[in-house]
Amino acid sequence: MAAAAPPPAPTPAATALPDPTPIGYPLFTRIRLATASDVPHIHKLIHQLANFKHLAHHCSATEASLSSTLFTSPPFQSFTVFILELSQTPFPPQLHTHSALFSPITQTITLDLPIDDPETETFKSNDKDCGFDVVVGGFVLFFPNYSTFLGKPGFYVEDLFVRECYRRKGFGKMLLSAVAAQAVKMGYGRVEWAVLDWNVNAIKFYEEMGAKVLQEWRICRLTDEALQAYANPAI
Amino acid sequence: MAAAAPPPAPTPAATALPDPTPIGYPLFTRIRLATASDVPHIHKLIHQLANFKHLAHHCSATEASLSSTLFTSPPFQSFTVFILELSQTPFPPQLHTHSALFSPITQTITLDLPIDDPETETFKSNDKDCGFDVVVGGFVLFFPNYSTFLGKPGFYVEDLFVRECYRRKGFGKMLLSAVAAQAVKMGYGRVEWAVLDWNVNAIKFYEEMGAKVLQEWRICRLTDEALQAYANPAI
């Protein structure tokens, strides 16, 4: 019946409207486990994070210090990094990025406007299975913590960072969700992290994700000379 | 000359004074790595801690949950427990409690009055090399954390607990110092833990130990149903 009906006559008003179903700009995303070969990118991202927090003077991480302390244990048993990658073309079938412990999470989003990334050369992915246009957009570093009350582990998220040109697109939520999903998969009890009390936007974002902000707890830190004073435990 | 001098005549006032150099009551202490065989004691200590914090209803740890999640990695690589033991007789030479990774720390303190421990049977140490009077008095559970800014690990202390009859004798400081000493030994950058903001006595104690309380940071926690909602990472 529909085929037999004459097509409706277009009106001048209708032809002046924008296309009601724009294709937009697809952006292909992937979250995968980082490896030692990602250290140069992780190092640059950490320093961008330190600049963002106006704490660059406190950032002494080097590629050497990261290389000697990260990726020394299997993923999830100790310090673990997820890398966010972005591409304008689909990711190839998972080859060496696939691990028995974690299958990369791919997702496609549609943008109204393409993103102009001024650092594509610096952050070009070193995954040889990928196309030339894959860039690293952010990371999350986390590790197991433990709740004695639950009698089981959880994850603590030490840092979550998305490069400036990729912000406000949901990538931070993607990275944190990937950690939470992994915690659920492993039967863990909690995912925790810290936020500055004046960062109301971050607090709102985390609360919308379902997190509670523990108002009464304060973090104590023993570091530098105050820590070195305990070199001899019998004092 | 002193031997030739006649002894001074005792005066009634002098004989009425207490002994100016009392021997006191020595208490021998040892901090050692816990093993899986310590789980029953650790479980009881965790529940005493939960009662102390009026949070017993939040404490779901069981011996089974602790056994399946603790002591699955070598000490210091993941969740690690130090046990505080107390004895009225000296500890024997270190036999199987000695580890290449950690030599038990022994220390002797002198008390004015002996401690009346109402739970000696419940907390009798299961270390076969020790005498019958060795009891477990407390524990500290900690695990590696990571500072991206330092580019190196530290330790996070999840729980520190000393049984009631052994408090205010310096044992909490001994346990925390042992963790700090281990951090220094391993070249780690920080030791961190959390404190309730209204617990002014604890804050004073930690500050006297050299710790800084980070006033601006709040802990965010994703748990229970809010965490389970992330079972599918692509949502």
Side-chain angles (χ1 to χ4, degrees), chain B residues 54-104:
Chain B
H54 304 290
L55 290 171
H57 52 295
H58 285 300
C59 190
S60 53
T62 62
E63 286 192 22
S65 68
L66 295 168
S67 290
S68 65
T69 53
L70 299 176
F71 313 115
T72 56
S73 299
F76 310 123
Q77 286 187 20
S78 185
F79 319 127
T80 305
V81 180
F82 282 156
I83 287 281
L84 168 72
E85 290 173 323
L86 307 147
S87 173
Q88 289 171 40
T89 53
F91 284 88
Q94 291 160 7
L95 299 173
H96 75 268
T97 52
H98 183 84
S99 149
L101 289 167
F102 183 76
S103 299

Side-chain angles (χ1 to χ4, degrees), chain B residues 111-148:
Chain B
L111 301 169
D112 292 338
L113 291 171
I115 292 171
D116 182 20
D117 182 349
E119 298 177 298
T120 49
E121 277 307 309
T122 308
F123 285 99
K124 192 173 164 177
S125 176
N126 52 15
D127 184 347
K128 294 180 186 64
D129 298 329
C130 287
F132 66 93
D133 73 334
V134 178
V135 292
V136 169
F139 81 109
V140 59
L141 187 147
F142 59 105
F143 49 80
N145 65 2
Y146 195 83
S147 164
T148 42

